[in-house]
């Protein structure tokens, strides 16, 4: 499998904040967590040693910040002091 980390279609690197260094997948129409392409990309990232997390939006009004706060609490990541 040829995998170019610079051409991700379903995951995004978190570059700062509580989940810095993790890759996230936030479902959008046509890109759900159990789609074959999403799973393939996730598995490739994990094989490369990256942490991949799933963000589930609540309806259509969840902001990215709200989703990240909920995920940080769920995964036990704490803010840097």
């Amino acid at each position: 499998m040829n995998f170019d980390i610079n051409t991700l279609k379903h995951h995004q690197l978190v570059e700062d904040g509580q989940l810095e260094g993790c890759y996230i997948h936030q479902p959008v129409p046509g890109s759900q967590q159990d789609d074959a392409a999403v799973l393939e990309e996730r598995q490739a990232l994990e094989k490369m040693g990256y942490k991949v997390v799933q963000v589930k939006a609540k309806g259509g009004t969840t902001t990215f910040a709200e989703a990240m706060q909920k995920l940080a609490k769920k995964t036990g990541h704490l803010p840097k002091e």
Side-chain angles (χ1 to χ4, degrees), residues 10-14 18-27 33 38 42 45-46 50-56 64 67-68 70-72 74-77:
H10 307 287
H11 295 83
Q12 180 179 0
L13 176 64
V14 179
Q18 297 170 334
L19 297 175
E20 182 176 355
C22 295
Y23 280 85
I24 64 166
H25 170 246
Q26 186 167 3
Q33 69 182 8
V38 174
R42 177 187 191 114
L45 285 167
E46 289 173 341
Y50 292 103
K51 181 170 179 148
V52 182
V53 292
Q54 177 70 34
V55 176
K56 184 176 181 181
F64 180 78
M68 293 307 291
K70 182 177 179 181
L71 182 63
K74 183 177 180 181
T75 60
H77 284 77

Side-chain angles (χ1 to χ4, degrees), residues 27-32:
V28 296
S31 179
Q32 300 301 316

